[in-house]
Coordinates of all heavy atoms in Angstrom, one line a residue:
A42 N -24.7 -0.1 -18.7 CA -23.5 0.3 -19.5 C -23.0 1.6 -18.9 O -23.8 2.5 -18.6 CB -24.0 0.6 -21.0
S43 N -21.7 1.7 -18.6 CA -21.1 2.9 -18.0 C -19.8 3.2 -18.6 O -18.8 2.5 -18.3 CB -20.9 2.6 -16.5 OG -20.3 3.7 -15.9
G44 N -19.8 4.1 -19.6 CA -18.6 4.4 -20.3 C -18.1 3.2 -21.1 O -18.9 2.7 -21.9
D45 N -16.8 2.8 -20.9 CA -16.3 1.7 -21.6 C -16.6 0.4 -20.9 O -16.1 -0.7 -21.4 CB -14.7 1.8 -21.7 CG -14.4 3.1 -22.5 OD1 -15.3 3.8 -23.0 OD2 -13.2 3.4 -22.6
F46 N -17.3 0.4 -19.8 CA -17.5 -0.8 -19.0 C -19.0 -1.2 -18.9 O -19.9 -0.4 -19.2 CB -17.0 -0.5 -17.6 CG -15.5 -0.2 -17.5 CD1 -15.1 1.2 -17.6 CD2 -14.5 -1.1 -17.4 CE1 -13.8 1.5 -17.5 CE2 -13.2 -0.8 -17.4 CZ -12.8 0.5 -17.4
V47 N -19.2 -2.4 -18.4 CA -20.5 -2.9 -18.0 C -20.4 -3.1 -16.5 O -19.6 -3.9 -16.1 CB -20.9 -4.1 -18.8 CG1 -22.2 -4.6 -18.3 CG2 -20.9 -3.9 -20.3
K48 N -21.3 -2.5 -15.8 CA -21.3 -2.6 -14.3 C -22.5 -3.5 -13.9 O -23.6 -3.5 -14.5 CB -21.5 -1.3 -13.6 CG -20.2 -0.4 -13.8 CD -20.4 0.9 -13.0 CE -19.2 1.8 -13.1 NZ -19.3 3.1 -12.4
M49 N -22.2 -4.4 -12.9 CA -23.3 -5.2 -12.3 C -23.4 -4.8 -10.9 O -22.5 -4.8 -10.1 CB -22.9 -6.7 -12.4 CG -24.0 -7.6 -11.9 SD -23.7 -9.3 -12.2 CE -22.6 -9.7 -10.9
Y50 N -24.7 -4.4 -10.5 CA -25.0 -4.0 -9.2 C -25.9 -5.0 -8.5 O -26.6 -5.8 -9.2 CB -25.8 -2.6 -9.2 CG -25.1 -1.5 -9.8 CD1 -25.2 -1.1 -11.1 CD2 -24.2 -0.7 -9.0 CE1 -24.6 0.0 -11.6 CE2 -23.5 0.4 -9.5 CZ -23.7 0.7 -10.8 OH -23.1 1.8 -11.4
S51 N -25.8 -5.1 -7.2 CA -26.7 -5.9 -6.4 C -28.0 -5.1 -6.1 O -27.9 -4.0 -5.6 CB -26.0 -6.3 -5.1 OG -27.0 -6.8 -4.2
V52 N -29.1 -5.6 -6.4 CA -30.4 -4.9 -6.2 C -30.6 -4.8 -4.7 O -31.2 -3.8 -4.3 CB -31.5 -5.7 -6.9 CG1 -32.9 -5.1 -6.6 CG2 -31.3 -5.7 -8.4
V53 N -30.1 -5.7 -3.9 CA -30.4 -5.7 -2.5 C -29.5 -4.7 -1.8 O -29.9 -3.9 -1.0 CB -30.3 -7.1 -1.9 CG1 -30.5 -7.1 -0.4 CG2 -31.4 -8.0 -2.5
T54 N -28.2 -4.9 -2.0 CA -27.2 -4.1 -1.3 C -26.7 -2.8 -2.0 O -26.0 -2.0 -1.4 CB -25.9 -5.0 -1.0 OG1 -25.3 -5.3 -2.2 CG2 -26.3 -6.2 -0.3
E55 N -27.1 -2.7 -3.2 CA -26.8 -1.5 -4.1 C -25.3 -1.4 -4.3 O -24.8 -0.4 -4.8 CB -27.2 -0.2 -3.4 CG -28.7 -0.2 -3.0 CD -29.1 1.0 -2.2 OE1 -28.3 2.0 -2.2 OE2 -30.1 1.0 -1.5
E56 N -24.5 -2.5 -4.1 CA -23.1 -2.5 -4.3 C -22.7 -2.8 -5.7 O -23.5 -3.5 -6.4 CB -22.4 -3.5 -3.4 CG -22.4 -3.1 -1.9 CD -21.7 -4.1 -1.0 OE1 -20.5 -3.9 -0.8 OE2 -22.4 -5.1 -0.6
T57 N -21.5 -2.3 -6.1 CA -21.0 -2.7 -7.4 C -20.3 -4.1 -7.3 O -19.3 -4.2 -6.6 CB -20.0 -1.7 -8.0 OG1 -20.7 -0.4 -8.0 CG2 -19.5 -2.0 -9.4
L58 N -20.8 -5.1 -7.9 CA -20.3 -6.4 -7.8 C -19.3 -6.8 -8.9 O -18.4 -7.5 -8.6 CB -21.4 -7.5 -7.8 CG -22.5 -7.3 -6.7 CD1 -23.6 -8.4 -6.8 CD2 -21.9 -7.2 -5.3
R59 N -19.5 -6.3 -10.1 CA -18.7 -6.6 -11.2 C -18.4 -5.3 -12.0 O -19.3 -4.5 -12.1 CB -19.3 -7.6 -12.1 CG -19.4 -9.0 -11.5 CD -18.1 -9.8 -11.7 NE -18.3 -11.2 -11.2 CZ -18.0 -11.5 -10.0 NH1 -17.6 -10.6 -9.1 NH2 -18.2 -12.8 -9.6
L60 N -17.2 -5.3 -12.6 CA -16.9 -4.2 -13.5 C -16.2 -4.9 -14.7 O -15.1 -5.2 -14.6 CB -15.9 -3.2 -12.8 CG -15.8 -1.9 -13.4 CD1 -17.1 -1.1 -13.4 CD2 -14.7 -1.1 -12.7
M61 N -17.0 -5.0 -15.7 CA -16.5 -5.8 -16.9 C -16.0 -4.9 -17.9 O -16.7 -4.1 -18.5 CB -17.7 -6.7 -17.4 CG -18.1 -7.8 -16.5 SD -19.6 -8.7 -17.0 CE -20.9 -7.6 -16.5
G62 N -14.7 -4.9 -18.1 CA -14.0 -4.0 -19.0 C -13.3 -4.8 -20.1 O -12.8 -5.9 -19.9
G63 N -13.3 -4.3 -21.3 CA -12.7 -5.0 -22.4 C -12.9 -4.2 -23.7 O -12.2 -4.4 -24.7
H64 N -14.0 -3.4 -23.7 CA -14.2 -2.6 -24.9 C -13.3 -1.4 -24.9 O -12.9 -0.9 -23.9 CB -15.7 -2.1 -24.8 CG -16.7 -3.1 -25.2 ND1 -16.8 -3.7 -26.4 CD2 -17.6 -3.8 -24.4 CE1 -17.8 -4.6 -26.4 NE2 -18.3 -4.6 -25.2
A65 N -12.9 -1.0 -26.1 CA -12.0 0.1 -26.3 C -12.7 1.5 -26.5 O -12.1 2.5 -26.7 CB -11.1 -0.1 -27.5
D66 N -14.1 1.5 -26.4 CA -14.8 2.7 -26.6 C -16.1 2.5 -25.8 O -16.4 1.5 -25.2 CB -15.1 3.0 -28.1 CG -15.2 4.5 -28.4 OD1 -15.6 5.2 -27.5 OD2 -14.9 4.9 -29.5
L67 N -17.0 3.5 -26.0 CA -18.2 3.6 -25.2 C -19.1 2.3 -25.5 O -19.3 1.9 -26.6 CB -19.0 4.8 -25.5 CG -18.4 6.2 -25.1 CD1 -19.2 7.3 -25.5 CD2 -18.1 6.2 -23.6
V68 N -19.7 1.8 -24.4 CA -20.6 0.7 -24.5 C -22.0 1.3 -24.9 O -22.5 2.2 -24.2 CB -20.7 -0.1 -23.2 CG1 -21.8 -1.2 -23.4 CG2 -19.4 -0.8 -22.9
T69 N -22.6 0.8 -26.0 CA -23.9 1.4 -26.5 C -25.1 0.5 -26.3 O -26.2 1.0 -26.5 CB -23.7 1.7 -27.9 OG1 -23.3 0.5 -28.6 CG2 -22.7 2.8 -28.2
G70 N -24.9 -0.7 -25.9 CA -26.0 -1.6 -25.7 C -25.7 -2.9 -24.9 O -24.6 -3.4 -25.1
I71 N -26.6 -3.3 -24.1 CA -26.4 -4.6 -23.4 C -27.7 -5.4 -23.4 O -28.8 -4.8 -23.3 CB -26.0 -4.4 -21.9 CG1 -26.9 -3.4 -21.2 CG2 -24.6 -3.9 -21.8 CD1 -26.7 -3.2 -19.7
Q72 N -27.6 -6.7 -23.6 CA -28.8 -7.5 -23.7 C -28.5 -8.9 -23.1 O -27.4 -9.4 -23.4 CB -29.3 -7.7 -25.2 CG -29.8 -6.5 -25.8 CD -31.3 -6.2 -25.4 OE1 -32.1 -7.1 -25.4 NE2 -31.6 -4.9 -25.1
L73 N -29.4 -9.5 -22.3 CA -29.2 -10.8 -21.9 C -29.3 -11.8 -23.1 O -30.1 -11.5 -24.0 CB -30.3 -11.2 -20.9 CG -30.2 -10.6 -19.5 CD1 -31.3 -11.2 -18.6 CD2 -28.8 -10.9 -18.8
N74 N -28.5 -12.8 -23.1 CA -28.6 -13.8 -24.1 C -30.0 -14.5 -24.0 O -30.2 -15.2 -23.0 CB -27.5 -14.8 -24.0 CG -27.4 -15.8 -25.1 OD1 -28.3 -15.9 -26.0 ND2 -26.4 -16.7 -25.1
P75 N -30.9 -14.4 -25.0 CA -32.2 -15.0 -24.8 C -32.2 -16.5 -24.6 O -33.1 -17.1 -24.1 CB -32.9 -14.7 -26.1 CG -32.1 -13.5 -26.7 CD -30.7 -13.8 -26.3
H76 N -31.1 -17.2 -25.0 CA -31.0 -18.6 -24.9 C -30.1 -19.1 -23.8 O -30.0 -20.3 -23.6 CB -30.4 -19.2 -26.3 CG -31.2 -18.7 -27.5 ND1 -32.4 -19.1 -27.8 CD2 -30.8 -17.8 -28.4 CE1 -32.8 -18.4 -28.9 NE2 -31.9 -17.6 -29.3
N77 N -29.6 -18.2 -23.0 CA -28.8 -18.5 -21.8 C -28.8 -17.3 -20.9 O -28.0 -16.3 -21.2 CB -27.4 -18.9 -22.2 CG -26.6 -19.5 -20.9 OD1 -27.0 -19.2 -19.8 ND2 -25.5 -20.1 -21.2
H78 N -29.7 -17.2 -19.9 CA -29.8 -16.0 -19.1 C -28.7 -15.8 -18.2 O -28.7 -14.8 -17.5 CB -31.1 -16.1 -18.3 CG -32.4 -16.0 -19.2 ND1 -33.6 -16.4 -18.8 CD2 -32.5 -15.6 -20.5 CE1 -34.5 -16.2 -19.7 NE2 -33.9 -15.7 -20.8
M79 N -27.7 -16.6 -18.2 CA -26.5 -16.4 -17.4 C -25.4 -15.7 -18.2 O -24.3 -15.4 -17.8 CB -25.9 -17.7 -16.8 CG -26.9 -18.4 -16.0 SD -27.5 -17.5 -14.6 CE -26.1 -17.4 -13.5
Q80 N -25.7 -15.4 -19.5 CA -24.8 -14.7 -20.4 C -25.4 -13.4 -20.8 O -26.6 -13.2 -20.8 CB -24.5 -15.6 -21.6 CG -23.8 -16.9 -21.2 CD -23.6 -17.8 -22.4 OE1 -24.1 -17.5 -23.5 NE2 -22.8 -18.9 -22.3
L81 N -24.4 -12.5 -21.2 CA -24.8 -11.1 -21.6 C -24.1 -10.7 -22.9 O -22.9 -11.0 -23.0 CB -24.4 -10.2 -20.4 CG -24.7 -8.7 -20.7 CD1 -26.2 -8.4 -20.3 CD2 -23.8 -7.8 -19.8
Y82 N -24.8 -10.0 -23.8 CA -24.2 -9.4 -24.9 C -24.0 -7.9 -24.6 O -24.8 -7.3 -24.0 CB -25.1 -9.5 -26.2 CG -25.2 -10.9 -26.8 CD1 -26.3 -11.7 -26.8 CD2 -24.1 -11.5 -27.4 CE1 -26.4 -12.9 -27.3 CE2 -24.1 -12.7 -28.0 CZ -25.3 -13.5 -28.0 OH -25.3 -14.7 -28.5

Side-chain angles (χ1 to χ4, degrees):
S43 177
D45 300 356
F46 300 92
V47 178
K48 290 183 179 179
M49 184 173 79
Y50 298 96
S51 168
V52 173
V53 176
T54 65
E55 306 171 22
E56 292 181 90
T57 305
L58 305 181
R59 291 277 183 270
L60 196 64
M61 292 173 277
H64 286 292
D66 209 332
L67 295 177
V68 176
T69 56
I71 52 174
Q72 292 281 317
L73 288 181
N74 185 353
H76 309 287
N77 187 344
H78 289 162
M79 304 303 289
Q80 296 177 353
L81 179 82
Y82 286 113

